[in-house]
Every structure is written in structure tokens, then in C-alpha cells.
Amino acid sequence: MKDIRSIAIDAVELVKPSIERLFERTNRQELHIVVMNPHLKPWESSFEEAVLYETSLGTPESWTIPFDHLAQKKAAQAWRESTSNVQLQQIHPSSLREEDVLFYGSFVYGNIVVACSGVQQWYDMLISSWVALAIEQLMMHEYQTQKIENPTQTYR
């Protein structure tokens, strides 16, 4: 069975053609993606230890805005609160902290937290959702395949 990091990498690669197609209508073709480890909770590890996978699309060396830092801040906010940061910004702003970024772009699906930064915030959120759902469904495939191939296995 593939590990969760391999699944996250596969998920990003799977949705990359859609991201590239979306770049045809975004304000730039730059993006940073942060995927948090769904096995770790904020009370169990530091944010840095819980980052499962990060990657950049475009040309990060020419960025005039630190999209990697913004994506990390979005991911930290969503991971800490277990909800997409648009929820905090639009419905529960009392939860916002001094260091929280004021752009949304994260998505939380179960225990999977993904955040992006680089394009318009609504597109950052869209891409984050694609990656999160792809991770869950790729993991579902691994899980179901494992059960079929090893029907007497009791534990993962």
C-alpha cells in the first residue's frame, strides 16, 4: 500500500493538467501548494513537522510575492482550526489571529488540509479542493485494493 506522501504527490500530478488549463484564465501562472499530513493534529506536532508535501508551479525564482509563505500561512490557519480559512474569514473572524493571512485558498476534506497561493484566492481554493479530493479518492483506491488482495488482513 502506498504511503500518504506518495499519494499526495500522485494527487498533485493527477490534477496538474487541470491546474495548467485553469492558468489560461488566472491572473498569473504561479502557484505554491502545501499538503498537511492527515495523520497529525496540531496538538501532536509542530506545523513544520506536519507539512507532508509542498511544491511550486511556475517560476518561483522570479516571484515578486512569496507565494510559498502565503500558502504555508493559509495551510497553518486551516490545519489549526480544522476548517477552510474562508470559513474563518467570512463566518468566524473572531478566530483570526494576529499572524493570520487575510486571503483564503485552503480546503479541508475530512482530515486532509491543502492550501495554495499564487492565483486569485477563489482559484487557490478550487485547486486546493481538487488536490484534497484526489488524495482521498486515491487513498480509497489503495485501501479497497488492499482489502481485496488481503481479505484476512486485520490491520493496516
Side-chain angles (χ1 to χ4, degrees):
M1 190 163 174
K2 289 184 181 178
D3 66 22
I4 190 67
R5 187 170 193 284
S6 297
I7 294 285
I9 293 167
D10 284 350
V12 171
E13 290 302 313
L14 185 67
V15 303
K16 211 180 262 186
S18 295
I19 296 169
E20 290 166 357
R21 176 81 188 275
L22 186 65
F23 278 167
E24 295 172 10
R25 58 178 77 190
T26 58
N27 57 353
R28 64 183 69 84
Q29 288 73 48
E30 308 294 339
L31 189 72
H32 190 78
I33 303 169
V34 177
V35 178
M36 302 303 294
N37 188 333
H39 301 156
L40 296 175
K41 306 292 181 228
W43 57 89
E44 296 174 329
S45 77
S46 69
F47 171 77
E48 294 76 18
E49 293 169 333
V51 172
L52 180 68
Y53 177 63
E54 288 186 79
T55 190
S56 295
L57 304 177
T59 53
E61 56 279 354
S62 67
W63 289 352
T64 58
I65 299 169
F67 297 120
D68 53 345
H69 180 71
L70 291 173
Q72 291 161 358
K73 295 298 270 181
K74 292 175 184 182
Q77 191 180 57
W79 182 65
R80 178 188 78 223
E81 301 293 336
S82 297
T83 190
S84 300
N85 59 350
V86 69
Q87 293 286 328
L88 299 174
Q89 293 172 13
Q90 299 295 317
I91 300 171
H92 304 292
S94 61
S95 298
L96 294 173
R97 297 181 184 179
E98 190 80 21
E99 69 279 1
D100 285 339
V101 66
L102 298 179
F103 298 103
Y104 64 88
S106 66
F107 195 83
V108 178
Y109 186 67
N111 291 327
I112 299 169
V113 175
V114 180
C116 295
S117 189
V119 294
Q120 294 95 322
Q121 59 187 344
W122 47 91
Y123 288 141
D124 286 340
M125 185 175 173
L126 175 63
I127 296 165
S128 295
S129 73
W130 290 344
V131 174
L133 290 167
I135 290 169
E136 193 68 73
Q137 297 313 306
L138 290 171
M139 185 54 77
M140 180 62 75
H141 173 75
E142 289 292 317
Y143 173 70
Q144 294 299 337
T145 301
Q146 181 72 15
K147 285 174 54 177
I148 290 166
E149 292 175 357
N150 303 291
T152 60
Q153 183 175 336
T154 308
Y155 299 101
R156 184 168 186 237

